[in-house]
């Protein structure tokens, strides 16, 4: 049977002798398994790093506007810094190109530059090779010593929160595949959610003092909450009616399909986090200050599963497993 992406990482890369040994590498505060690795070197600041590889035909259509490819590649990578509460320092770029075409490169680099300026993350270096189109972005960020929003900090009794509205990027994939052609504004809203995700950097930074655990929604809400639940050794109960669904999705999809997309679709790059109920008011105030919608969607419970409940408290069977390569 084919290995799942996560099984593969666990079996072959999270192995002793390859991973950092805490005794030999005390500077590696956090290795494989979270949104970023964390490196300490005795200063007041720690370094957070994360690599994302985007492959043409898998993560974006090869014929997409090159400026949007560039902008999205950096935004998506920065989302992992946001998920740790880190502040961007700079990025390195690994670019594999079938042909060196000036107009494509001008568009791609303009998109990268727009995101680099918007998020304060300059290009530091990289590597360029010939081959099938692929964009690898490694982001480097900083955190105050000893701090980070990790996946393993959720505690029973915490509330579960999500930023923004979900489902639009996943539905955009159907537009890109030609299976759906919504009219007018809905199409533009869906495509913009997919191509122009906004890494929640200010939110992540502010949550350092409020949240117990966090990660970004890249694989799908339930899958990503599952990562927090597993790392923290807890379960979660979500209220289906509370999960914020993108209005563009509600305009185009049936109610059932909209819920499926919000719970299981990926690529939204919002943050999900857990926080003690004492932080409820400060989190609402933070959302108002940053003008980011923050919704409490459930709570952390003893157990191991992420369950979705209807208005009557009954368990809703959900047939979504999140996005995974190789399955
Ligand atoms: P994210 O979606 O936040 O980018 P992933 O789901 O891609 O994270 O990866 C999960 C964890 O596995 C991360 O900590 C990542 O660094 C690690 N990882 C993924 N692929 C590899 C690999 N080939 N070698 C080492 N670590 C890996
Ligand atoms: Mg992530």
């Amino acid at each position: 049977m084919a290995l799942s992406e996560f099984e593969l990482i666990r079996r072959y890369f999270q192995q002793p002798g390859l991973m950092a040994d805490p005794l030999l590498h005390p500077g590696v505060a956090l290795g494989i398994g979270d949104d970023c690795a964390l490196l300490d070197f005795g200063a007041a600041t720690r370094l957070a790093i994360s690599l994302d590889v985007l492959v043409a035909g898998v993560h974006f259509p090869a014929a997409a506007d090159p400026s949007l490819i560039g902008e999205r590649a950096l935004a998506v990578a920065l989302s992992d810094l946001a998920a740790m509460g880190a502040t961007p320092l700079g990025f390195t770029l690994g670019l594999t190109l079938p042909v060196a075409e000036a107009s494509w490169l001008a568009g791609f680099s303009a998109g990268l530059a727009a995101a680099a300026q918007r998020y304060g993350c300059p290009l530091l270096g990289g590597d360029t090779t010939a081959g099938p189109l692929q964009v690898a972005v490694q982001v480097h960020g900083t955190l105050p010593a000893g701090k980070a929003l990790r996946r393993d900090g959720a505690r029973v009794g915490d509330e579960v929160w999500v930023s923004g509205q979900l489902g639009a990027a996943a539905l955009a994939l159907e537009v890109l595949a030609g299976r759906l052609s919504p009219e007018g504004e809905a199409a533009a809203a869906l495509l913009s959610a997919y191509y122009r995700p906004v890494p929640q950097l200010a939110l992540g930074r502010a949550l350092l003092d409020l949240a117990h655990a966090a990660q970004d929604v890249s694989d799908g809400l339930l899958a990503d909450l599952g990562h927090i639940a597993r790392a923290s050794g807890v379960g979660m109960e979500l209220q289906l009616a509370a999960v914020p669904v993108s209005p563009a999705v509600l305009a185009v999809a049936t109610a059932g399909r909209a819920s499926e997309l919000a719970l299981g679709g990926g690529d939204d790059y919002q943050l999900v986090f857990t926080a003690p109920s004492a932080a409820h008011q400060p989190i609402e105030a933070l959302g108002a200050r940053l003008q980011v919608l923050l919704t409490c969607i459930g709570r952390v419970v003893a157990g191991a599963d992420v369950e979705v409940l209807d208005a009557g408290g009954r368990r809703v069977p959900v047939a979504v497993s999140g996005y995974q390569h190789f399955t």
Side-chain angles (χ1 to χ4, degrees):
M1 206 183 88
L3 283 171
S4 77
E5 180 186 343
F6 300 113
E7 189 53 37
L8 178 162
I9 294 166
R10 201 154 41 235
R11 194 179 300 177
Y12 294 103
F13 300 122
Q14 258 177 319
Q15 57 163 297
L18 189 52
M19 278 173 79
D21 178 318
L23 290 176
L24 296 175
H25 310 278
V28 182
L30 184 62
I32 297 173
D34 214 307
D35 294 296
C36 292
L38 298 175
L39 306 183
D40 289 343
F41 30 83
T45 303
R46 69 190 345 186
L47 185 65
I49 57 173
S50 169
L51 171 66
D52 272 304
V53 182
L54 304 181
V55 179
V58 179
H59 299 96
F60 60 88
D65 175 344
S67 148
L68 292 176
I69 296 175
E71 189 180 332
R72 181 169 186 274
L74 183 52
V76 162
L78 284 169
S79 178
D80 281 318
L81 290 184
M84 299 305 284
T87 298
L89 195 60
F91 74 103
T92 44
L93 171 67
L95 183 60
T96 308
L97 285 174
V99 284
E101 197 190 318
S103 66
W104 191 93
L105 284 161
F108 177 73
S109 59
L112 270 182
Q117 282 172 33
R118 192 174 316 133
Y119 303 118
C121 189
L123 181 60
L124 305 173
D127 193 29
T128 306
T129 52
L133 180 58
Q134 178 179 300
V135 182
V137 173
Q138 179 158 43
V139 285
H140 308 254
T142 55
L143 277 160
K147 290 201 166 189
L149 293 173
R150 299 167 52 139
R151 296 180 181 182
D152 60 6
R155 294 178 214 163
V156 172
D158 278 0
E159 293 176 326
V160 180
W161 294 78
V162 66
S163 67
Q165 294 162 313
L166 304 174
L171 193 55
L173 293 178
E174 297 187 21
V175 179
L176 291 171
R179 288 193 295 270
L180 184 75
S181 339
E183 308 269 300
E185 276 178 29
L190 295 177
L191 291 174
S192 162
Y194 175 79
Y195 277 121
R196 316 192 76 186
V198 177
Q200 296 294 326
L201 289 159
L203 175 61
R205 233 179 348 250
L207 288 175
L208 279 174
D209 292 319
L210 292 170
H212 281 156
Q215 89 150 79
D216 60 334
V217 182
S218 55
D219 298 335
L221 180 70
L222 290 187
D224 290 318
L225 282 175
H227 295 318
I228 294 181
R230 210 165 307 116
S232 301
V234 297
M236 293 183 196
E237 282 178 1
L238 307 184
Q239 302 297 326
L240 180 60
V243 174
V245 184
S246 153
V249 171
L250 293 171
V252 172
T254 61
R257 179 83 183 112
S259 292
E260 247 173 56
L261 287 161
L263 295 172
D267 290 327
D268 288 309
Y269 298 103
Q270 296 294 338
L271 295 187
V272 275
F273 55 97
T274 81
S277 52
H280 191 100
Q281 240 90 69
I283 289 171
E284 284 189 334
L286 176 66
R289 181 156 58 81
L290 297 178
Q291 304 231 304
V292 175
L293 177 70
L294 297 178
T295 311
C296 180
I297 57 172
R299 59 197 187 103
V300 176
V301 297
D305 298 321
V306 179
E307 301 204 323
V308 181
L309 307 178
D310 67 14
R314 288 173 297 263
R315 189 166 169 241
V316 182
V318 202
V320 292
S321 57
Y323 187 80
Q324 281 203 34
H325 292 281
F326 308 115
T327 52

